[in-house]
């Protein structure tokens, strides 16, 4: 196993756990009888849908903001987001009495934009890609001195997401495999740092969509690359990883054992199964672990955990998918 970059290792994840304690939920790990039967192995769902914002992103955002100096906080927070990270920063800002500006592209679903607006953050819709939104963030930082909270490529953000890995090992010491939604890599990198440090034999599988999977393309190329951002049911997994990526690319390259890509129909099947069999409302990005098992693209060889990363799906889209309409 490769050694993680010195910028992030188990001590940073453990520090994040202490820092965010009482401010985020310690989410449940529940057994899925249906998926366990399908796979012939115990399969468990880590329900990050239970976070106050409906997604895991609160862990990283809260840790990053709490790690700032008071001066950095009072300048106001700014970030680019495909939805859930922006919601996490807005929620954190409201809880701590801070100002926040969230920059998003026109591809972000309206339900996620409205949820952020309801938390009191300023919203800017810029262009049609995460890169366009990020350019606006950099302008605001340069011209107005706002403090940026990156959506994934920052040690404190990654460490916050890594607290999920600590909980997995505490709740399931016999863990053999973790299926993790893979986008910019903050979630996968953080969990992998924690889990591999405590249980090096655990297999880490990153799962993304076939349409514009930036980290998957970067790992295949051996370096960060540009991808075209396309509409997808797994909208939270969209966006690039940044050509100057400092943290998550190296960690995912070194610690993620396998990357699996899914079609839109397979993602829809995961959303449908979550609703009809597991009784969980799950967005596309949160359903990819379920989808990978249903499609037979991952075959567990021991106790397995799926990160159900978020529930923030548009209600009309969810109804259409659960009713059996085509993806």
């Amino acid at each position: 196993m490769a050694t993680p970059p010195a910028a992030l290792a188990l001590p940073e994840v453990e520090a994040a756990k202490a820092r965010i304690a009482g401010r985020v939920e310690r989410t449940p790990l529940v057994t899925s009888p249906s998926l366990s039967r399908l796979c012939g192995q115990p399969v468990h769902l880590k329900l990050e849908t239970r976070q106050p914002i409906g997604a895991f992103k609160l862990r990283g955002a809260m840790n990053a903001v709490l790690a700032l100096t008071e001066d950095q906080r009072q300048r106001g927070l700014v970030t680019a987001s495909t939805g859930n990270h922006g919601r996490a920063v807005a929620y954190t800002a409201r809880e701590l009495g801070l100002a926040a500006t969230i920059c998003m592209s026109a591809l972000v679903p309206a339900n996620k934009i409205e949820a952020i607006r309801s938390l009191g953050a300023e919203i800017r819709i810029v262009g049609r890609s995460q890169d366009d939104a990020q350019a606006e963030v950099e302008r605001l930082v340069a011209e107005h001195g706002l403090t940026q909270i990156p959506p994934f490529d920052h040690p404190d953000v990654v460490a916050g997401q890594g607290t999920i890995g600590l909980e997995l090992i505490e709740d399931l010491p016999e863990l053999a495999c973790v299926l993790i939604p893979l986008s910019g890599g903050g979630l996968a990198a953080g969990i992998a740092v924690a889990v591999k440090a405590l249980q090096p034999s655990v297999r880490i599988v990153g799962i993304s969509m076939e349409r514009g999977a930036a980290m998957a393309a970067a790992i295949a190329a051996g370096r960060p690359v540009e991808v075209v951002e396309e509409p997808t049911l797994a909208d939270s997994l969209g966006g690039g990883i940044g050509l100057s990526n400092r943290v998550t690319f190296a960690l995912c390259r070194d610690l993620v054992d396998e990357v699996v890509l899914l079609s839109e129909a397979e993602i829809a099947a995961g959303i449908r199964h979550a609703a009809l069999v597991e009784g969980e409302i799950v967005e596309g990005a949160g359903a990819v672990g379920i989808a990978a098992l249903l499609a037979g693209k991952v075959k567990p060889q021991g106790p397995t955990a799926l990160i159900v990363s978020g529930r923030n799906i548009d209600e009309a889209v969810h109804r259409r998918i659960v009713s059996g309409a085509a993806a």
Side-chain angles (χ1 to χ4, degrees):
M1 182 185 71
T3 302
L8 186 70
L10 184 61
E12 285 72 37
V13 181
E14 292 174 330
K17 177 184 176 182
R19 190 177 287 124
I20 67 177
R23 295 186 180 273
V24 305
E25 290 295 317
R26 191 191 190 289
T27 54
L29 184 70
V30 302
T31 302
S32 167
S34 64
L35 294 174
S36 298
R37 285 194 300 271
L38 174 69
C39 299
Q41 298 286 350
V43 175
H44 308 268
L45 309 179
K46 180 64 167 167
L47 297 178
E48 286 297 297
T49 51
R50 300 293 193 267
Q51 293 295 349
I53 65 159
F56 76 95
K57 287 283 192 176
L58 185 58
R59 296 174 184 262
M62 184 68 73
N63 187 55
V65 174
L66 291 175
L68 295 172
T69 66
E70 187 61 26
D71 175 66
Q72 289 171 320
R73 292 183 206 170
Q74 292 304 323
R75 292 179 200 167
L77 311 176
V78 65
T79 194
S81 175
T82 54
N84 286 334
H85 176 69
R87 195 168 180 171
V89 172
Y91 177 93
T92 298
R94 190 189 68 177
E95 291 296 295
L96 300 178
L98 306 174
T101 301
I102 314 300
C103 301
M104 295 172 282
S105 83
L107 292 180
V108 175
N111 68 301
K112 292 187 175 181
I113 294 171
E114 290 308 310
I116 293 169
R117 183 175 283 117
S118 72
L119 290 168
E122 179 182 344
I123 291 173
R124 297 191 179 214
I125 306 300
V126 185
R128 291 191 58 80
S129 74
Q130 181 83 336
D131 290 340
D132 292 337
Q134 181 60 35
E136 177 68 3
V137 169
E138 291 167 5
R139 186 189 71 80
L140 292 171
V141 170
E143 296 183 10
H144 301 284
L146 302 186
T147 298
Q148 182 178 178
I149 307 297
F152 54 88
D153 194 35
H154 188 283
D156 292 329
V157 173
V158 176
Q161 322 304 22
T163 58
I164 295 172
L166 299 180
E167 294 174 15
L168 288 176
I169 297 299
E170 289 172 1
D171 291 347
L172 191 65
E174 65 273 28
L175 181 67
C177 180
V178 188
L179 277 59
I180 309 173
L182 181 63
S183 179
L187 180 62
I191 291 174
V193 165
V195 168
K196 292 280 193 181
L198 296 169
Q199 298 273 31
S201 64
V202 174
R203 185 166 184 79
I204 304 291
V205 181
I207 307 174
S208 199
M209 65 287 176
E210 292 174 349
R211 294 180 176 177
M215 184 61 78
I219 292 173
R223 68 186 193 286
V225 295
E226 291 183 351
V227 297
V228 176
E229 191 170 344
E230 301 180 58
T232 172
L233 288 174
D235 54 90
S236 292
L237 302 185
I241 69 166
L243 295 181
S244 58
N245 187 287
R246 299 180 302 113
V247 180
T248 59
F249 169 69
L251 287 168
C252 289
R253 177 196 63 202
D254 294 348
L255 299 178
V256 172
D257 296 297
E258 180 184 3
V259 175
V260 170
L261 301 181
L262 300 173
S263 70
E264 295 299 296
E266 288 166 342
I267 295 169
I271 295 170
R272 194 174 303 116
H273 175 95
L276 299 179
V277 181
E278 309 295 343
E280 298 288 338
I281 296 175
V282 178
E283 63 186 272
V288 295
I290 294 172
L293 294 183
L294 294 176
K297 290 186 171 179
V298 178
K299 299 184 184 301
Q301 300 300 309
T304 296
L306 316 183
I307 310 303
V308 184
S309 57
R311 68 167 186 254
N312 300 319
I313 188 171
D314 180 87
E315 291 181 8
V317 172
H318 190 259
R319 284 196 298 271
R320 174 173 60 81
I321 292 171
V322 172
S323 72

